[in-house]
Amino acid sequence: MKRLLGSLVLLLCVFGWFNPQGEAEEFKAPYPGKGVVTVKGDWRFHTGDDLAWKDPKLDDTTPAAGWEAITADDTWGAQTHPGYTGFAWYRRAIEMDGVKGPISIAMPPVDDVYELYWNGEKIGGDGSLPPHAHWHLRNYADVYSLPKPDAEGRLKGVLAVRVWKSMLSSQDASDGGGLNGPPTIGDSKLLEDRLKLADVKYEQARLIPVVLFVFFAVIGSFSLALWAINRSRRLNLWLGVFLLCSACAITAAFPALQRSADFAWAQLKTQLVGAGTDIGVWMLVVTLFGLDRERLWRRTTAIFVAVYLISNAVDVATISMWASGRPVLQVIDGVTTAIYSVVPLYLFVLVAAGLRRRRDLGLLPMALACVALEAYNLVSGALGQFKRFTHIDFPALIAGAAIHLGPYHVTLKTQLEIAVLVVMVWTVVRQQALERRQQAALLAEVKSAREVQQVLVPESVAPVEGFAISSLYWPAEEVGGDMFQVLPGDAGDVLIVLADVSGKGLKAAMTVSLIVGTVRTLADYTMDPVEILNGLNRRLIGRTSGGFATCVVLHVSATGEVAMANAGHLAPFLNGEEMSVEGSLPLGLIPGAEFEAVRFQLQQDDEITLYTDGVLEAQNAKDEMYGFERTAELMRGRPSVRTIAEAAKSFGQSDDISVVKLVRVAADDTRERMSVDLKTVDMGMGESAAV
């Protein structure tokens, strides 16, 4: 039996039916005419690198040469060399008879870089080999022309493929490297057409992502434009960031971009876009649920954003040096990848905190959509990392979840992105509609308060014989905190009250209304400035919520005798010079506050000017105050009330400006006896009225 088996083995070896060394046979095929033929069978394979291996005369059949036989149907990592990186060579003798036209070879995708040789001469390749290696994110099949056949129409030679595989990253499996399929040989035009048809089918299958890209880009740009118009609408900002980054992420599926995408630059773009998408979702949730109003969540989110960006930046820097092959880079890549893969879990914390803080069922679809998409990204990223150890092919696992609509292919991620787009846009539009309704209600209240205040601030006052009185009121906001009243008496006298309430807005306006009502009531019984201040102080105690009001009251008789009392207000100017006034407390601070009257005589053409601190506190772009010195210099020229207000406003108005000027005039004086200058702010649209 031993002799019989030995004879049988010898017979098989003689006829070439048994190959104890695993030798690759020469590939022979007839000319396919207008067709193609696939180079099937085993190839000679050798790890390492030696340019002498491109020589067609090289003996690659003896065991001592170190060559082995593997198929080109799959990578070397899936066959005999799992996890191997670096250089390796493929060789195959090819013979084709009866060639009658141009002939080419279509090479399959090769992982990562390769050079193609025919009989020792380089005829093609993809990428650049070390020491200055660079390779594409994804290799595609390519067509290269083969030399012309001899006079008898026979094409014979040795095809050698020099391959370099970069060291494995955390996302690489151990089954990569080298050829991903056997080459095909045939008519040049047919091979080119087949590649173009494959690209067309690939692009057609991804038509829906292209449409989705357009929607993301258009809506994202529109959202950012709305934010640029109104910077207070941060929802538009973060929605725009998320949608535009998502649009950029979709472009990774475009064949034309993949074909030309350098690995390092593609990795930079992928991680920048991924960071923008994740941070955009975080900030969208933070803003939508109002977490940005809480210091704790602002700080926590800032910390997570910083950690996320730093880990991505370090990983990108590591990938940029990947061609060097240093093992320490694999360690850094593993650590940084683990960090930026886990940090996005923060979104779940934000959603939980947001739903707890703001129990609005209308926000629930948005929260669930964000969680679903982020869960997909996390699972995809986690299972995609270290898959050479876990042996889990996540894309293959979810391939069954894709929807096929004729030639179109809608992946699970695309389905989630469509759902998120619809829900996000609906939620943001709904939220902004609610904000507009709330703002409209608030503006209606402000408008009502402003109308009340305009009634209380006199738009017209009857002239007082013997006096020229001019007044001005320019609020800094829709509703101001200044007030003045000019109340003529029955004996040709006049009562002037000027007050400035602390604070701004509706609260100050309500206090102004209280002061006006009190002044008008008290004026029916007394024109004494001290009694009026006492009455105002009693009325304001306990009604200013910790605030106060400064006030100055003047009573001027028909003969020019003036009685003036001051409650913490700025001293008036008499004939361009600041008057000396005793200090006193503002109104509304303590009960029983005492006020003193100052008496003096106004001669003909004497003038007295009252004003509020909106003049002094005008502030320019350098944070300089208009101040006392500029005010005093301005007043020396005895300017009109409009000149005073315009000087402060041009410097930089920051508070309400009120100015009242009284001049004692002769009976035959022609100047205007009573003028009122009011300006109001039309709900943020600018000055709307001047009387």
Side-chain angles (χ1 to χ4, degrees):
M1 288 297 293
K2 290 182 179 179
R3 289 179 181 177
L4 179 61
L5 289 174
S7 300
L8 181 60
V9 169
L10 179 61
L11 182 63
L12 293 173
C13 290
V14 171
F15 286 97
W17 295 341
F18 177 71
N19 189 349
Q21 299 176 2
E23 297 179 3
E25 298 179 352
E26 179 183 28
F27 177 77
K28 292 184 178 181
Y31 176 58
K34 295 299 181 179
V36 297
V37 61
T38 302
V39 184
K40 298 180 179 179
D42 290 337
W43 290 59
R44 304 301 296 168
F45 178 79
H46 198 305
T47 57
D49 186 41
D50 190 339
L51 281 176
W53 294 345
K54 67 181 180 180
D55 190 345
K57 298 179 181 179
L58 176 74
D59 181 10
D60 56 12
T61 60
T62 60
W67 291 84
E68 61 180 298
I70 67 171
T71 179
D73 295 341
D74 211 341
T75 59
W76 69 55
Q79 298 182 69
T80 56
H81 296 276
Y84 174 74
T85 61
F87 282 95
W89 283 72
Y90 291 83
R91 286 172 57 92
R92 188 74 185 270
I94 295 176
E95 183 176 346
M96 183 172 288
D97 296 326
V99 179
K100 298 179 181 179
I103 193 166
S104 297
I105 182 170
M107 289 295 296
V110 179
D111 188 13
D112 288 311
V113 181
Y114 74 97
E115 291 179 342
L116 186 64
Y117 296 89
W118 177 264
N119 285 338
E121 298 293 330
K122 183 179 177 181
I123 62 173
D126 184 83
S128 298
L129 296 169
H132 304 293
H134 81 84
W135 59 103
H136 295 128
L137 177 65
R138 176 177 176 178
N139 285 330
Y140 283 78
D142 247 322
V143 176
Y144 305 100
S145 297
L146 292 174
K148 295 181 180 180
D150 58 20
E152 298 177 356
R154 183 175 59 179
L155 180 70
K156 185 175 182 179
V158 174
L159 187 69
V161 187
R162 184 189 186 192
V163 182
W164 178 79
K165 165 69 177 170
S166 69
M167 67 178 179
L168 301 179
S169 70
S170 61
Q171 301 182 31
D172 290 327
S174 59
D175 58 355
L179 297 176
N180 284 266
T184 54
I185 299 176
D187 180 73
S188 300
K189 186 175 184 308
L190 178 60
L191 290 175
E192 293 282 358
D193 290 343
R194 289 181 65 179
L195 290 185
K196 291 179 182 178
L197 180 61
D199 282 348
V200 169
K201 289 182 176 180
Y202 185 87
E203 292 176 357
Q204 186 181 34
R206 282 150 181 80
L207 179 61
I208 292 181
V210 172
V211 174
L212 191 61
F213 161 79
V214 173
F215 274 101
F216 272 54
V218 171
I219 298 176
S221 300
F222 181 70
S223 185
L224 282 183
L226 291 177
W227 170 77
I229 295 172
N230 186 352
R231 299 294 180 88
S232 65
R233 294 188 177 277
R234 290 190 298 273
L235 270 178
N236 291 118
L237 169 63
W238 299 120
L239 179 63
V241 169
F242 170 78
L243 293 178
L244 289 181
C245 288
S246 298
C248 291
I250 293 174
T251 60
F254 296 172
L257 295 179
Q258 286 187 342
R259 187 184 295 275
S260 59
D262 180 81
F263 173 76
W265 284 105
Q267 190 69 20
L268 172 62
K269 175 203 165 187
T270 298
Q271 296 197 204
L272 284 177
V273 167
T277 304
D278 286 334
I279 294 173
V281 170
W282 298 351
M283 298 308 299
L284 191 62
V285 171
V286 166
T287 306
L288 193 63
F289 286 100
L291 296 175
D292 56 336
R293 303 189 189 99
E294 299 182 14
R295 187 177 182 183
L296 172 64
W297 288 110
R298 289 199 304 269
R299 286 189 172 184
T300 305
T301 302
I303 292 172
F304 273 90
V305 168
V307 171
Y308 191 54
L309 291 178
I310 291 172
S311 62
N312 272 277
V314 173
D315 193 64
V316 168
T318 302
I319 293 298
S320 67
M321 300 181 288
W322 204 251
S324 66
R326 298 172 185 170
V328 67
L329 298 178
Q330 291 178 302
V331 177
I332 298 174
D333 174 55
V335 173
T336 55
T337 301
I339 293 174
Y340 73 69
S341 296
V342 172
V343 168
L345 287 169
Y346 180 58
L347 174 66
F348 302 145
V349 178
L350 288 176
V351 170
L355 289 174
R356 183 177 179 181
R357 182 183 185 277
R358 186 174 179 184
R359 300 179 183 277
D360 185 352
L361 293 179
L363 300 178
L364 187 59
M366 165 75 174
L368 294 178
C370 289
V371 168
L373 181 60
E374 196 63 26
Y376 172 90
N377 291 334
L378 284 171
V379 173
S380 175
L383 294 182
Q385 304 301 324
F386 311 108
K387 61 182 179 182
R388 64 178 178 273
F389 305 116
T390 62
H391 305 291
I392 299 176
D393 188 354
F394 183 74
L397 290 177
I398 65 170
I403 298 176
H404 298 273
L405 303 173
Y408 307 121
H409 184 71
V410 187
T411 64
L412 177 59
K413 184 174 184 180
T414 301
Q415 298 171 39
L416 290 173
E417 287 174 338
I418 293 173
V420 168
L421 173 63
V422 173
V423 171
M424 273 190 174
V425 173
W426 176 82
T427 303
V428 171
V429 170
R430 171 185 175 273
Q431 185 67 20
Q432 291 185 343
L434 290 175
E435 289 179 359
R436 282 195 296 270
R437 285 198 291 269
Q438 293 172 354
Q439 185 179 21
L442 178 61
L443 290 178
E445 293 180 5
V446 172
K447 182 179 180 182
S448 299
R450 188 184 62 181
E451 290 173 350
V452 170
Q453 189 177 39
Q454 286 177 340
V455 171
L456 297 175
V457 175
E459 290 190 5
S460 62
V461 181
V464 181
E465 187 68 26
F467 300 102
I469 303 175
S470 55
S471 58
L472 174 146
Y473 172 63
W474 290 359
E477 296 183 355
E478 291 89 345
V479 180
D482 286 2
M483 62 77 64
F484 69 87
Q485 293 288 294
V486 179
L487 304 175
D490 297 332
D493 56 342
V494 62
L495 181 71
I496 299 177
V497 180
L498 180 66
D500 184 1
V501 176
S502 62
K504 299 178 182 179
L506 288 174
K507 179 181 175 182
M510 295 302 100
T511 304
V512 165
S513 302
L514 178 60
I515 292 175
V516 171
T518 303
V519 166
R520 288 181 175 272
T521 301
L522 292 173
D524 289 337
Y525 301 97
T526 180
M527 287 285 193
D528 185 273
V530 173
E531 292 184 6
I532 290 176
L533 288 181
N534 287 331
L536 285 172
N537 190 55
R538 288 193 301 270
R539 186 64 61 89
L540 292 179
I541 290 295
R543 297 186 180 182
T544 58
S545 301
F548 59 88
T550 64
C551 184
V552 59
V553 182
L554 278 81
H555 176 252
V556 187
S557 69
T559 59
E561 295 178 2
V562 181
M564 181 179 70
N566 192 336
H569 199 79
L570 297 169
F573 278 80
L574 178 61
N575 296 329
E577 298 296 332
E578 187 175 15
M579 299 180 65
S580 178
V581 179
E582 293 292 333
S584 58
L585 290 174
L587 303 172
L589 291 180
I590 62 173
E594 296 183 357
F595 307 101
E596 296 184 0
V598 177
R599 301 182 185 278
F600 56 93
Q601 179 71 37
L602 284 181
Q603 304 298 329
Q604 186 173 321
D605 293 329
D606 282 352
E607 63 179 48
I608 185 168
T609 304
L610 314 177
Y611 67 103
T612 59
D613 59 6
V615 177
L616 295 174
E617 295 178 358
Q619 192 170 8
N620 62 15
K622 298 179 181 179
D623 293 333
E624 297 175 340
M625 305 287 285
Y626 194 76
F628 287 98
E629 292 183 4
R630 290 187 179 91
T631 302
E633 183 179 354
L634 175 66
M635 293 297 189
R636 290 190 190 101
R638 301 173 72 166
S640 66
V641 293
R642 175 175 282 272
T643 301
I644 297 171
E646 288 179 345
K649 184 170 184 178
S650 62
F651 194 80
Q653 181 181 1
S654 60
D655 198 358
D656 306 329
I657 297 175
S658 295
V659 186
V660 180
K661 174 178 283 192
L662 179 144
V663 183
R664 189 178 181 197
V665 297
D668 58 351
D669 197 301
T670 59
R671 75 185 75 181
E672 186 177 6
R673 298 303 175 93
M674 180 62 68
S675 67
V676 181
D677 188 340
L678 300 180
K679 285 188 179 179
T680 60
V681 181
D682 188 12
M683 299 304 183
M685 299 298 290
E687 296 171 356
S688 65
V691 182

